[in-house]
Amino acid sequence: DAKTTQPNSMESNEEEPVHLPCNHSTISGTDYIHWYRQLPSQGPEYVIHGLTSNVNNRMASLAIAEDRKSSTLILHRATLRDAAVYYCILRDPPPNSGYALNFGKGTSLLVTP
Amino acid sequence: KAGVTQTPRYLIKTRGQQVTLSCSPISGHRSVSWYQQTPGQGLQFLFEYFSETQRNKGNFPGRFSGRQFSNSRSEMNVSTLELGDSALYLCASSSAEVNTGELFFGEGSRLTVL
């Protein structure tokens, strides 16, 4: 799988938007961009994923660059509960490639009141 | 519906012993994968099972093994435990019929090797 690059850490104030960047310059045409997050003392949880177009769900928005070499996870109003490690992961769609995810180091998001 | 259940949640073993961890996936999910999480290496993929067959395997020694039963429940086993095996072991399940690739993780089994 192609690799991703994320900042080690970011900080945000509560109730402000947060933009978490991810670079993936070697992304292939079939790679989907997945985001997961891991809250303290919990297993990772799915946040959002996309291929080419921007995506929105109840948790977040995913903005994908036109050349697909970067993407940004957007939390519209950060809450204290959003403090977590956020992982940007590239995956070929299952079932052909299996369900293994290559977690990198992720971005540790700190949210302050 | 019930989430992914892992047992036991915490366990302590000594070097040389072996351990078996269990994972019950979400009902209807046929894919189960295992990950090891340590502070130094982060989350690393161990193996993935689908319909009782190992489909993918990560870069871990043969002391780490797993299996999946006909009801999709899975177990992983670590033999001849080493101090470095102390970690949080996470199980995730997924439905092969849904083409989102979304994994649902359990809360993990925290293993301490003394």
Side-chain angles (χ1 to χ4, degrees):
Chain A
D1 296 321
K3 292 198 172 185
T4 62
T5 303
Q6 299 177 254
N8 290 332
S9 62
M10 292 185 65
E11 191 170 335
S12 173
N13 294 321
E14 197 177 10
E15 298 188 6
E16 290 187 355
V18 182
H19 291 235
L20 297 164
C22 181
N23 287 320
H24 29 79
S25 59
T26 60
I27 190 171
S28 74
T30 56
D31 280 333
Y32 278 72
I33 303 160
H34 290 250
W35 284 82
Y36 280 75
R37 72 179 185 180
Q38 187 173 21
L39 280 66
S41 302
Q42 294 188 25
E45 66 173 340
Y46 167 83
V47 177
I48 199 167
H49 80 285
L51 182 62
T52 56
S53 304
N54 295 345
V55 185
N56 301 296
N57 66 20
R58 64 176 180 80
M59 289 180 68
S61 295
L62 176 60
I64 302 172
E66 196 168 333
D67 63 5
R68 299 212 324 128
K69 293 185 177 182
S70 66
S71 61
T72 302
L73 179 70
I74 302 167
L75 307 179
H76 296 287
R77 284 181 74 244
T79 68
L80 297 178
R81 192 192 173 277
D82 291 322
V85 178
Y86 287 78
Y87 298 95
C88 171
I89 303 163
L90 302 182
R91 278 305 291 156
D92 276 332
N96 298 328
S97 57
Y99 288 82
L101 294 179
N102 183 12
F103 288 86
K105 298 296 185 184
T107 296
S108 180
L109 176 65
L110 175 66
V111 181
T112 55
Chain B
K1 53 183 176 183
V4 177
T5 304
Q6 292 188 245
T7 57
R9 291 291 314 280
Y10 303 91
L11 67 166
I12 300 174
K13 294 286 187 178
T14 56
R15 280 179 299 176
Q17 288 187 310
Q18 72 158 12
V19 66
T20 299
L21 308 177
S22 179
C23 172
S24 293
I26 291 173
S27 177
H29 284 190
R30 294 158 61 192
S31 170
V32 173
S33 51
W34 289 88
Y35 292 80
Q36 181 197 64
Q37 185 170 31
T38 60
Q41 298 298 318
L43 273 155
Q44 292 187 290
F45 170 72
L46 279 158
F47 28 65
E48 184 236 346
Y49 289 87
F50 179 77
S51 294
E52 302 179 66
T53 300
Q54 187 180 86
R55 188 162 60 174
N56 298 109
K57 189 177 191 303
N59 189 26
F60 277 81
R63 300 185 297 107
F64 292 81
S65 62
R67 59 178 176 169
Q68 186 180 33
F69 302 96
S70 58
N71 62 358
S72 293
R73 190 178 70 85
S74 178
E75 289 181 347
M76 68 162 284
N77 183 276
V78 187
S79 62
T80 318
L81 284 167
E82 301 176 359
L83 295 179
D85 297 332
S86 294
L88 179 66
Y89 290 88
L90 291 157
C91 167
S93 77
S94 184
S95 167
E97 284 73 36
V98 179
N99 196 28
T100 65
E102 179 179 350
L103 297 189
F104 296 84
F105 282 84
E107 293 187 301
S109 293
R110 184 165 295 281
L111 170 65
T112 301
V113 182
L114 302 177

